C-alpha cells in the first residue's frame, strides 16, 4: 500500500515540505515582528511631540464638522478617483483601509480617545 | 442533397454523445450555483459557460477547441487554444496574483504575526494529500499538483499543474475552484466537530493599528524571505507582493487600480473560461481516453476534498495547540481560515462564531491566517517546483 | 557626403510612389468621415490612421510593416506585425465579440422571437454574393470570405477571412467596415424602393417586458443551439454569449464592465489600426503584386456593395412575405435591420420611418432583427468554416 | 459564366448554407418561445400573490417622492459604480435596461397602471 | 536528512552572493526614492521591485528568471521570460507611446512651432555620446543604443536597444529611467552655469489659443513628415500620434481613455518590472559574465550621464543662439526642456525660473520643446535603426 | 583614440544624424506653420460674424451664474465620464484642455476681454 510512497521518497518530501513552509512563514513573522519593534523604538521620541500638537488641532474642530468634512472628502474621492472595488472588506472597530475616508478621521478620533 | 448530408455531418447533433450532454448539464449547474447561490460567481460562471462550450462536439479537423494547436496536428492554432495558452504557459495565475495583491489589505497579518503559523498549519493538508495521491498510484508530479488543491487557491493550483502535470490541469483547476466555492458547505461541519462551545465563544481583543511604513515594508520583506526559502514560489509571491506594494506605496495608485481591475478581470474571464472549455468529456490521445469524464477525474475530486478537509482540520488543531502556550487565547475557529480561499473562509469563520455569540466579530482576526494561507500554499508550490522540476 | 546620400536613400521621400500617396489620401478621407460625418468613428479613425502609417514607404529590410515577420524573411518580427498577428490569428474578433456581448441588450429579440427570421433572411446576401464571387473567378474560400461582407459585421468578416483567405484580409476588412459606416447612405434608397407609403407607416405594438430569468437563459440557449447547428461559429457566438451572460447574470458586473470597456477598446484600437496598416498600396510577393491598389480589391469592393444591397433587399422582402401570414402586421422596414451593423441599421430604420410618421418609434422593434443578424452571420461564417477548412 | 460555380458545387453550398442559417435561427426562436411559455405557466401562481402586495406598497409612496428616490439612487449608482457605456440605447415606452434607474421605477408604475 | 539537505540546496540562502545582496539593496533604494522622494514613482517603484526579484538566487535549471527561455536551454519558458518578451520584442514601448499620446496635449508646440528647434538641439547629446561610446570601444549598434539615453525617453531607449543591442537592454533601460528620475538634480546646475541672471528673468508672452482643427491635423502631419524623414521612427511616432488623434478627434473618447489608462498602466507595470528583473548581478553565458554588476554597466551609466548633460547643454545653448535672431526673445531656460523627460524637465524649468522671478510662469512655454524632444529622439532612434539594421 | 570612431564612420553618421533630426523637426514646424496661416486666412471671414453674435450671448449671463453652470457641468462630467488622468498639467492664463470645464468658460470670457 505504501510502496509507491516509499519508492518516490514521499514521506521525506512531505516532511521536509511542511518544514520549509513552517520555517518560511515563521521567518516572515519574525522579520515583521523585529521590524515592528525597531520602528516602535525609533518612533517613541517622534510621536511624543505629535501627541501634544495633533490633539489640539483635532480638538479645535467640532466632531460634527469633522464628520461633514469627512463625508465631503469621501464624495470628492469617489467622484475624482475610481474606487478600487475591494474584494476584502473588514468590519473592525476603526477602519484601516486607506481607501476609506474613515482612515484619517478615525486616526484623529483615536488620538482624542487615547488622551 | 449530398451537400446537405455533408453539412448535417458537420453539425454537432451528428456527433453529440451522452458524456457531452452530462458535461453540458454540469456546466449549467455551475452557472446556477454562481447566479442563484452566489458561490464565487466571478469564477464559477465563466467556468460553467466554458464547460458548455468545451463539450459541444464538432467534426474532427476543425480548429475550434482548446487542444487544437498546430503542435497537436490541427491546421491552425484555434482561438480557444490561444486563450488556453495563457493557462498552460502559467502566465495568467501570476497576473491574477498581481491584481489580488493590489486589492488585498495585509494589515491583519502585520498586526498579529503569530497568526502566520495558522496559515502554515493548514498547508499540512497539501502534503498529506500528496502522500494519499502517491498511494493511489499517481506520479510524484501528479501527486503534488493534486495535493495543492488543499491550498484552496485556484491560481496556485493552476500554476503548479501547468509546471508539473499539465495533462491534469482541467480536473485540478475545476476541483480547486469548486471546493473554494463550496467552502461555506465544507468547513462548518469540521469546525463544529473540532471546537467546544466555550472555544467558539472566545473573544479576541482588537488588533493594534498598522502604520503606513509597515504596510510598505511588508511586501518587500515577504518577497525576499519567501523567495529565498522557496525560489519556486517567486512568480506567484513576487507578483502578489508587487501588486500589494503598488497599492500601499501611495504613489502608484493608478497602476494599482489597473492591476486590480482591468488586468485582473481580463485574466479572470479568460482563465476561467479556458479552464472550463478544457473539460471535454471524452478526448482520445494516441488511442487513450484522457477526457474529463474518466475515473481519474473522480480520484482527483476525492483527493481534493480530502485535502481541503485535512487543511481545515490542521488549521483548527494547530490553533488549539497554540492556545496551550498563549496568554491571550485565540479563538481556534480562525485556524480554519488558514486554508486561504480569501476572503470566503474568513467570512465563514465570522458567520459561524456569530451563531454562538452574535457580538463576536472574528472577520478581521480571521483575515490574518487567511492571507498567510495564500503565502503558505505559494511556498508549498515553490517547494514542489524546486524538487520535481 | 556619401553618408548623407545613404541616409537620404533610407528616407521615405526617396521611395514614395503615387500609389502610396493615393492611399494616404484615402486614409485622410476615412479620418475626415469619422470626425466630421461621425461615420463609425471608433473604427474608421484608427483604420484611416493605419492606412496612412501602412503606406509610408521605407527601405526594404527594415522590420517595420505588418508583413515584416521572420517567416517572411525579415530579420525580426516588427512591432506592427506582432499587433497584426492578433488579426491574422483570429483572436481579436472573438474578444471584440466578448465585449459587444457585455454591452448588448437582447431583450427586443427575446420578446419577439419571430423577428429572428428577418435576421436570417438578410443573410441571403452572403450566399448570393458567394456565388457572384465564384463567377468572377475567386476560389471557394475567397468567395466565402467576400460574401460574408454582406453580413455587415466587421469582426465576423475578419474572423472568416483569417481562417479561409488570409491574403484577402485587408480589402475585405476595409470593405466591411466602410460599408458598415455608410449604412445611412446605402440602405435608405433600397428601403424606399421596396416599401409602399402605407407599409412605412405601420405601427407596431409595444413588446412585452422581458424577465431577468429569460435574459440569463438566452445566451446559454443560443450558444448551445447555434454551436450544435454550426460548430464553426463557436469562437464568435461563444464569446458573444459569454459576454452577454456576464452582463445579465447580475453577479459578475465587474467582469462585464472590463470586457465591455478596457478589453473591447484595446482590441478595437489594435485591430482597426493593424487592418488599416495592412493596406500597402503595392506589395510584391514572389514577383506578383498583392498590394491593396489592384483590380482584385476593386472586385472585392464591388461584390461587397452588392452583398450589402442584397442583404438589405432580402430582409425587406422577407418582412413583406411574413406579413402575408401575420395577424399583427410588422413594419417591413425593420427587415432592413437584419443585416446587423448594430445599432446603425436599426437607427436608420427608426429615422426613415419617422420621416413618414414622426411618432412611429421602430428602434426597439428593429433591434430584434438587428441582433439576430449578428447571430445569423456568425452561423453563416460557421457553415463556411465547416465546409471549406 | 456559371462554370466556376458549378465546378465548385456553389449552388448546393449556397442553398444548404441558407438552409442552415434559417434552421439555426428558427431553432433558437422556437426554444426561446418554448421557454417563455413554460415560465409563464410556472409563474402564473407566483405572480398572483405579488399582484396584491406590491401595488399597495407602491401606491403608498407618492410619485414625486418616488422620483426623488430614483434620482438619488441614480446618482448613488453613478458615483459608486461606473456605468457601462452602453453602445445600444433603446427609446421605448418603459426602459428595460437594469443600468438605468428607470427600471425599478418603471416596473412599479406599470403595476399601478395595470390595476 | 538527505532530502532536507537537498531542499536547503534549492533555497536561495545556499546560492546567495554578495553581488546579489548589493543589487537587492539597490532595488530597495530605488523604491525608497520612488516613495519618499517621489522620483518618477510609476517607473522606479516597479523597477526597484523587479531588481529585488531578479536578484534572488535560485538553483540552475528552475525556469524562473527573465532569461530562462527554451531558446536559452530552460525546460520551459518561465513566466517572467514571457513578460520580458514584451520588452525584447519591442512591443511595450510603442503601446506605452500610444497611451502617452492619448494623455499629451501638444497645444504648446502647435502655438509656437519654432520651439521645435530646441527639441532638435537637445538631441545633439545623443550623437555626441554615440561618438564617446565608440571611443570607449563599443560597437556601432551598442554606441547608438547608449547615446539614445540622452534622449531622456525610457520607451525610446528600450525600443532602440531591443532592435540594435538587446544584450545591453538592462543597463541602458535602468540608466535612462534613473536619469529621467534624477532630472531635478541633474539639470539645475547646468542651467545655472549656462544662463545669466537677466536671461533667467525673461518673460515670454502668452501663446495664442490653438483651434480644435489644428490639434486634429497635428498628429497626422507629424506622422507623415517624421516617418518620411526617418521611417525607423514609425513604430514610436506612429503610435504616439495615433493616441493623440484618438484624444483630440473628440469622437473616440472611450478609445483614448482605455489607451491612456488600462493599456498604458498594464504595459508600464510589466515593462518596468521586467526591466528591473533583467538586472541579475552575475550571469554567465558561454563562460563570460554578462551580468549587471560589470564594468560595462558602469561605462554605460557614465556615458548616459554625459549624454544627458550634453543634451541639456545643447538645448540651452541653442536657445541663446536663437535669441540672436528673434525679436521676441525666448527665455533660454526652456531650451533645457528639449531633452524630453515629459513633463519633469518642463517642471524643473518652471521651478528654476520662479526662483528668480516668482511670477514668471514658463511651464506652458517649456512644454513645447519638451514634447518636441520626444519626437526628436524618436527620429534619432529611427535614423540609427535605418543605418545599423 | 579616435580610431574606432573613424573606422566606424562615426563622425559622418553623427553629423548626418543631427542633420536629419533638425531637418525633420524643421519640416514639421514649417508644415504646421503653413497650415496655421492657411486656416487663419480661411477663417477670417467666418469669425467676423461670430464676433458680433457670441459676446452678446455671453454678456447676457452674469459671471457668477456662468461660474455656477461651469461647476455643475464639471461635476456632471466627472460623474458621467471618467476623467482622463492627465499626466501633463498646464498652468496657463486660460486653460486649454478640453477635459476641464474652464475651456468653454474661458473661451467666452476671452471673447469678452478682447472687446
Ligand atoms: Na492556502
Ligand atoms: Na449579419
Ligand atoms: Na528627447
Amino acid at each position: 500500500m505504501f510502496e509507491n510512497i516509499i519508492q518516490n521518497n514521499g514521506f521525506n518530501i512531505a516532511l521536509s515540505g511542511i518544514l520549509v513552509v513552517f520555517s518560511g512563514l515563521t521567518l516572515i513573522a519574525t522579520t515583521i515582528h523585529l521590524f515592528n519593534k525597531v520602528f516602535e523604538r525609533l518612533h517613541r521620541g517622534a510621536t511624543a511631540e505629535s501627541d501634544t500638537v495633533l490633539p489640539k488641532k483635532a480638538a479645535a474642530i467640532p466632531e460634527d464638522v469633522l464628520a461633514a468634512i469627512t463625508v465631503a472628502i469621501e464624495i470628492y474621492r469617489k467622484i475624482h478617483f475610481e474606487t478600487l472595488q475591494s474584494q476584502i472588506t473588514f468590519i473592525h472597530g476603526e477602519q484601516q483601509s486607506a481607501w476609506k475616508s474613515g482612515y484619517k478621521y478615525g486616526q484623529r478620533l483615536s488620538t482624542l480617545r487615547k488622551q | 442533397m449530398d451537400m446537405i448530408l455533408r453539412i448535417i455531418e458537420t453539425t454537432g447533433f451528428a456527433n453529440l454523445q451522452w458524456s457531452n450532454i452530462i458535461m453540458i448539464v454540469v456546466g449549467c449547474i455551475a452557472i446556477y450555483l454562481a447566479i442563484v447561490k452566489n458561490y464565487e460567481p466571478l469564477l464559477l460562471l465563466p467556468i460553467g459557460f466554458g464547460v458548455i462550450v468545451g463539450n459541444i462536439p464538432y467534426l474532427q479537423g476543425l480548429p475550434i477547441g482548446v487542444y487544437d494547436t498546430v503542435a497537436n496536428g490541427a491546421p491552425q492554432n484555434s482561438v480557444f487554444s490561444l486563450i488556453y495558452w495563457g493557462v498552460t504557459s502559467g502566465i495568467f495565475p501570476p497576473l491574477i496574483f498581481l491584481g489580488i495583491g493590489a486589492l488585498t489589505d495585509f494589515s491583519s497579518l502585520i498586526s498579529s504575526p503569530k497568526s502566520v503559523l495558522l496559515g502554515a498549519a493548514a498547508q499540512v493538508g497539501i502534503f498529506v494529500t500528496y502522500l494519499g495521491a502517491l498511494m493511489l498510484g499517481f506520479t510524484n508530479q501528479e501527486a503534488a499538483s493534486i495535493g495543492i488543491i488543499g491550498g484552496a487557491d485556484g491560481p496556485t493550483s493552476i500554476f503548479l499543474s501547468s509546471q508539473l502535470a499539465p495533462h491534469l490541469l482541467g480536473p485540478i483547476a475545476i476541483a480547486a475552484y469548486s471546493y473554494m466555492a463550496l467552502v461555506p458547505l465544507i468547513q462548518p461541519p469540521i469546525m463544529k466537530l473540532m471546537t467546544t462551545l466555550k472555544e467558539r465563544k472566545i473573544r479576541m481583543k482588537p488588533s493594534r493599528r498598522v502604520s503606513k511604513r509597515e504596510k510598505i515594508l511588508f511586501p518587500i520583506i515577504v518577497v525576499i524571505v519567501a523567495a529565498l526559502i522557496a525560489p519556486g514560489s517567486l512568480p506567484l509571491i513576487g507578483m502578489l507582493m508587487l501588486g500589494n506594494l503598488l497599492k500601499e506605496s501611495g504613489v502608484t495608485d493608478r497602476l494599482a487600480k489597473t492591476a486590480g481591475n482591468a488586468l485582473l478581470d481580463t485574466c479572470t474571464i479568460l482563465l476561467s473560461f479556458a479552464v472550463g472549455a478544457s473539460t471535454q468529456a471524452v478526448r482520445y490521445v494516441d488511442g487513450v481516453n484522457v477526457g474529463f469524464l474518466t475515473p481519474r477525474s473522480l480520484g482527483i475530486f476525492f483527493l481534493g476534498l480530502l485535502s481541503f478537509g485535512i487543511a481545515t482540520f490542521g488549521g483548527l488543531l494547530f490553533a488549539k495547540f497554540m492556545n496551550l502556550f498563549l496568554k491571550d487565547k485565540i479563538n481556534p475557529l480562525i485556524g480554519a481560515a488558514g486554508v486561504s480561499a480569501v476572503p470566503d473562509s474568513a467570512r465563514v469563520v465570522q458567520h459561524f462564531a456569530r451563531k454562538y455569540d452574535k457580538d463576536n466579530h472574528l472577520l478581521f482576526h480571521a483575515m490574518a491566517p487567511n492571507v498567510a494561507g495564500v503565502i503558505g500554499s505559494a511556498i508549498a508550490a515553490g517547494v514542489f517546483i524546486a524538487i520535481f522540476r
Side-chain angles (χ1 to χ4, degrees), chain A, chain B:
Chain A
M1 191 182 173
F2 297 107
E3 275 168 45
N4 198 30
I5 296 183
I6 291 158
Q7 207 174 318
N8 281 293
N9 209 1
F11 291 115
N12 272 341
I13 289 174
L15 262 177
S16 8
I18 292 170
L19 208 76
V20 173
V21 171
F22 261 93
S23 53
L25 284 176
T26 310
L27 204 56
I28 289 173
T30 317
T31 322
I32 294 168
H33 187 69
L34 287 177
F35 263 94
N36 288 356
K37 287 279 169 220
V38 170
F39 279 116
E40 242 169 57
R41 205 160 290 179
L42 283 174
H43 264 248
R44 212 164 285 168
T47 43
E49 303 167 33
S50 67
D51 272 353
T52 55
V53 179
L54 255 177
K56 276 182 193 165
K57 212 171 145 193
I61 308 169
E63 284 216 2
D64 52 348
V65 174
L66 255 184
I69 293 168
T70 308
V71 169
I73 291 170
E74 207 230 325
I75 288 174
Y76 180 87
R77 291 188 74 105
K78 293 270 179 186
I79 293 177
H80 287 264
F81 316 107
E82 280 173 295
T83 51
L84 274 176
Q85 289 182 289
S86 187
Q87 260 196 318
I88 302 165
T89 45
F90 295 85
I91 299 168
H92 187 246
E94 287 143 23
Q95 289 177 306
Q96 301 227 14
S97 163
W99 291 101
K100 306 225 171 112
S101 63
Y103 186 42
K104 284 200 167 168
Y105 181 48
Q107 277 191 318
R108 277 174 192 163
L109 280 190
S110 70
T111 331
L112 282 172
R113 270 183 213 146
K114 273 168 195 158
Q115 280 183 313
Chain B
M1 204 53 222
D2 191 52
M3 182 50 54
I4 292 180
L5 276 177
R6 188 169 154 206
I7 285 177
I8 287 174
E9 250 170 46
T10 71
T11 67
F13 291 115
N15 303 285
L16 200 59
Q17 298 182 337
W18 272 109
S19 53
N20 291 127
I21 294 174
I22 292 171
M23 287 306 292
I24 289 175
V25 171
V26 167
C28 291
I29 292 171
I31 294 175
Y32 173 84
L33 291 177
I35 296 178
V36 179
K37 297 282 174 187
N38 214 27
Y39 288 162
E40 292 269 358
L42 298 180
L43 302 166
L44 271 202
L45 189 103
I47 288 178
F49 197 86
V51 170
I52 296 173
V53 167
N55 278 284
I56 289 178
Y58 53 89
L59 207 65
Q60 198 73 25
L62 282 188
I64 289 176
V66 297
Y67 302 110
D68 297 332
T69 60
V70 171
N72 287 349
Q76 195 170 354
N77 292 319
S78 75
V79 170
F80 292 163
S81 78
L82 294 173
I83 297 176
Y84 192 54
W85 174 86
V87 181
T88 51
S89 70
I91 197 167
F92 280 158
L95 292 182
I96 287 176
F97 262 48
L98 180 72
I100 291 175
L103 292 174
T104 305
D105 187 333
F106 286 97
S107 306
S108 53
L109 183 54
I110 301 170
S111 64
S112 75
K114 63 178 176 292
S115 308
V116 148
L117 295 175
L118 298 171
Q123 312 316 318
V124 170
I126 294 174
F127 295 100
V128 172
T129 310
Y130 154 73
L131 294 177
L134 281 181
M135 272 172 61
L136 292 193
F138 286 96
T139 69
N140 255 330
Q141 279 83 350
E142 291 171 343
S145 305
I146 294 168
I148 206 77
I149 297 173
D153 205 303
T156 303
S157 307
I158 289 172
F159 183 72
L160 190 65
S161 309
S162 76
Q163 304 292 307
L164 298 184
H167 55 292
L168 297 184
L169 215 160
I172 287 174
I174 301 284
Y177 279 128
S178 303
Y179 293 137
M180 282 171 71
L182 297 176
V183 151
L185 297 182
I186 296 173
Q187 291 204 315
I190 306 176
M191 285 153 77
K192 203 157 195 170
L193 182 78
M194 291 290 297
T195 52
T196 65
L197 192 63
K198 201 180 141 203
E199 281 174 333
R200 287 173 216 157
K201 287 187 180 173
I202 293 177
R203 291 203 185 184
M204 296 174 68
K205 56 176 194 183
S207 326
R208 66 175 187 81
R209 190 166 303 287
V210 170
S211 71
K212 201 189 158 203
R213 178 180 325 218
E214 287 172 281
K215 285 187 179 182
I216 291 174
L217 281 170
F218 177 77
I220 302 172
I221 291 171
V222 169
V223 79
I224 294 177
V225 173
L228 281 174
I229 285 276
S233 67
L234 204 42
L236 292 171
I237 300 274
M239 282 295 163
L240 183 71
M241 291 302 141
L242 173 58
N244 192 244
L245 184 61
L246 291 178
K247 169 178 178 269
E248 300 296 356
S249 72
V251 291
T252 50
D253 283 0
R254 60 172 290 164
L255 299 185
K257 198 198 97 190
T258 294
N261 285 301
L263 186 58
L264 174 58
D265 291 339
T266 304
C267 293
T268 302
I269 297 173
L270 299 181
L271 175 135
S272 316
F273 172 79
V275 160
S278 73
T279 61
Q280 290 180 12
V282 177
R283 190 166 67 90
Y284 284 93
V285 171
D286 302 331
V288 180
N289 181 7
V290 295
F292 191 85
L293 273 194
T294 45
R296 206 189 49 177
S297 298
L298 269 184
I300 291 172
F301 268 78
F302 164 73
L303 286 164
L305 185 58
L306 181 81
S307 187
F308 232 84
I310 299 175
T312 308
F313 190 86
L316 290 164
L317 201 70
F318 198 82
K320 291 166 78 119
F321 173 74
M322 277 171 73
N323 265 350
L324 299 180
F325 306 94
L326 291 173
K327 202 176 57 189
D328 291 329
K329 303 293 180 208
I330 59 175
N331 187 315
L333 289 175
I334 69 170
V339 295
S340 31
V342 182
D344 293 6
S345 61
R347 278 198 198 131
V348 167
V349 169
Q350 157 88 350
H351 191 249
F352 189 83
R354 287 190 65 200
K355 279 203 285 195
Y356 299 92
D357 171 1
K358 79 174 176 39
D359 289 327
N360 193 5
H361 294 284
L362 290 179
L363 186 63
F364 190 82
H365 299 288
M367 282 307 297
N370 208 187
V371 294
V374 176
I375 300 172
S377 40
I379 292 180
V383 171
F384 282 135
I385 287 178
I387 302 177
F388 296 133
R389 273 227 67 104

